[in-house]
Amino acid sequence: MQTLLDKSLSSFARTDLLQGPTPIQQAERLEQLLGLKAQGVGLFLKRDDHMLIGGGGNKLRKLEFHIGAALASGVDTVITIGGLQSNHARLTAAVCARLGIACELILTRSVPKAEVDYELNGNVLLDQLFGAEMSVFPAGTDSLAKAELRAAQLRDAGRNVMVLPTGGSTPLGSLGYARCAVEIAQQETQLGVTFNQVVVPNGSAGTHAGLAAGFQLLDRGTSIVKSYSVLSDRDSSAARTVQLTQNALALLGSSAIVQADEITIDGSQLGDGYGLPTLAMQDAVRLMARAEGLLIDPVYSGKAFAGLLADLRQGRFRSGDNVLFVMTGGTPGLYAYRETFQA
């Protein structure tokens, strides 16, 4: 049955990059190892790493709406920004390659890591394979200003250019995860299960904000979503997420007001900063690999899963609760962090 949210979303141009819903699977081995079955707690995984383009990942949901708008307006060049190992940059390059759009990446050395694998492997290698033009700048560079300057040059040369910010996390991009909320609700019906909490990492906030807006419009409320901040401290992440959720709701035609205490963000897993490994993250990545045979990345899902593990071990869920962990992809980043895992 089509919801009002479906109707609102259908008014926006969208390019199908997912080719159907991503699966949800029960993490039965993890449930066993963590003693969750005895507690009556269910743990499920939303496989947003399970996409066909560019190695997959959550940024594709945001790009569906950005690229939809780009194609509708005749854009021939997309410029985006991010850190050196940006998953969003990699997927933007992949989508542009598939659609025959020129792609330029303005990347900054925002993480103080200089290992050979970090510089040349992982997403950097894939950016090159997808044919993107890359420019790399020191930490602290205003990459958005660089992108706008380059866009102006290309427009002067007659090109039609779209500039995308970090992570594609705009109100328009967030609609990708509002749409994901509808997808999750449909899968709940199919699986015969209701999720009490949906858990995600929080970087540029678009994933959390989109899900929060979507569940709000499905009358589930924004607090069903919990995220772990991986880019900045908890308060900065919360302020960004509240504003983006509010803007996404407004874009969808809703007058709902988002209260700060309805946005649930945990800042315990950031560690020394964005992209910097923590022992809890390393343990979480290894546990997922050895218990379920699945890969999660060291920057986003690795830290978020570490936070969820802490909550599960501390008994923060009750018997009958079901938790959905969204695996947001980014696994090429594992190869950039070889020294972290093999030290």
Side-chain angles (χ1 to χ4, degrees):
M1 184 176 69
Q2 189 179 52
T3 66
L4 289 174
L5 177 53
D6 287 312
K7 292 178 181 177
S8 296
L9 288 167
S10 67
S11 66
F12 295 90
R14 182 179 69 86
T15 300
D16 183 8
L17 303 177
L18 272 61
Q19 298 175 296
T22 61
I24 291 177
Q25 66 187 74
Q26 191 162 4
E28 294 181 352
R29 174 94 168 120
L30 279 169
E31 289 178 344
Q32 178 184 5
L33 291 174
L34 297 171
L36 301 182
K37 282 190 177 294
Q39 299 170 33
V41 176
L43 177 60
F44 295 78
L45 308 173
K46 176 68 169 163
R47 297 292 308 280
D48 270 15
D49 61 322
H50 196 277
M51 300 175 185
L52 299 179
I53 297 177
N58 64 326
K59 314 303 185 186
L60 282 177
R61 289 193 186 269
K62 304 173 187 180
L63 284 166
E64 284 199 320
F65 285 89
H66 283 305
I67 298 300
L71 293 177
S73 57
V75 165
D76 56 39
T77 305
V78 172
I79 303 175
T80 196
I81 65 175
L84 186 63
Q85 284 289 338
S86 167
N87 296 304
H88 167 68
R90 180 244 312 166
L91 286 170
T92 301
V95 169
C96 286
R98 184 182 180 110
L99 297 176
I101 299 171
C103 180
E104 298 193 14
L105 308 177
I106 308 294
L107 308 178
T108 56
R109 301 182 187 279
S110 52
V111 178
K113 289 176 68 65
E115 298 97 330
V116 170
D117 286 300
Y118 193 84
E119 291 282 323
L120 300 177
N121 208 334
N123 288 309
V124 173
L125 171 62
L126 298 184
D127 293 340
Q128 295 167 340
L129 285 176
F130 293 134
E133 183 175 320
M134 298 167 53
S135 300
V136 181
F137 296 93
T141 299
D142 187 339
S143 51
L144 188 56
K146 292 277 188 186
E148 294 290 0
L149 178 62
R150 176 59 178 157
Q153 294 171 343
L154 291 172
R155 288 174 185 134
D156 287 344
R159 305 280 284 278
N160 190 346
V161 186
M162 172 179 280
V163 175
L164 297 180
T166 301
S169 291
T170 66
L172 181 64
S174 296
L175 299 189
Y177 269 91
R179 187 169 181 271
C180 183
V182 176
E183 183 176 303
I184 290 170
Q186 292 170 342
Q187 289 174 307
E188 284 178 314
T189 300
Q190 295 163 3
L191 294 168
V193 65
T194 299
F195 298 117
N196 305 88
Q197 190 163 89
V198 178
V199 177
V200 295
N202 191 315
S204 54
T207 300
H208 187 153
L211 284 169
F215 281 115
Q216 176 67 28
L217 294 178
L218 292 172
D219 296 323
R220 301 277 290 274
T222 61
S223 59
I224 187 176
V225 186
K226 178 174 182 177
S227 67
Y228 294 86
S229 56
V230 301
L231 178 63
S232 54
D233 64 86
R234 188 260 167 212
D235 290 346
S236 299
S237 297
R240 183 166 55 244
T241 306
V242 168
Q243 186 62 60
L244 194 50
T245 303
Q246 190 70 70
N247 292 344
L249 284 167
L251 192 60
L252 289 165
S254 172
S255 58
I257 303 299
V258 180
Q259 303 296 330
D261 61 359
E262 296 173 342
I263 297 295
T264 307
I265 298 178
D266 186 313
S268 64
Q269 301 301 315
L270 179 61
D272 291 333
Y274 173 71
L276 296 177
T278 65
L279 291 177
M281 175 278 292
Q282 294 175 58
D283 289 343
V285 170
R286 290 190 176 100
L287 178 61
M288 182 67 84
R290 294 172 186 180
E292 297 288 344
L294 299 176
L295 301 176
I296 51 178
D297 79 292
V299 179
Y300 294 92
S301 287
K303 287 186 175 180
F305 188 53
L308 176 56
L309 286 174
D311 283 353
L312 290 167
R313 287 165 172 157
Q314 290 165 20
R316 294 185 179 175
F317 297 97
R318 298 175 298 179
S319 178
D321 283 352
N322 292 300
V323 184
L324 180 66
F325 179 70
V326 181
M327 295 176 57
T328 55
T331 51
L334 282 169
Y335 303 103
Y337 283 74
R338 180 184 60 82
E339 293 190 13
T340 296
F341 290 96
Q342 292 188 330

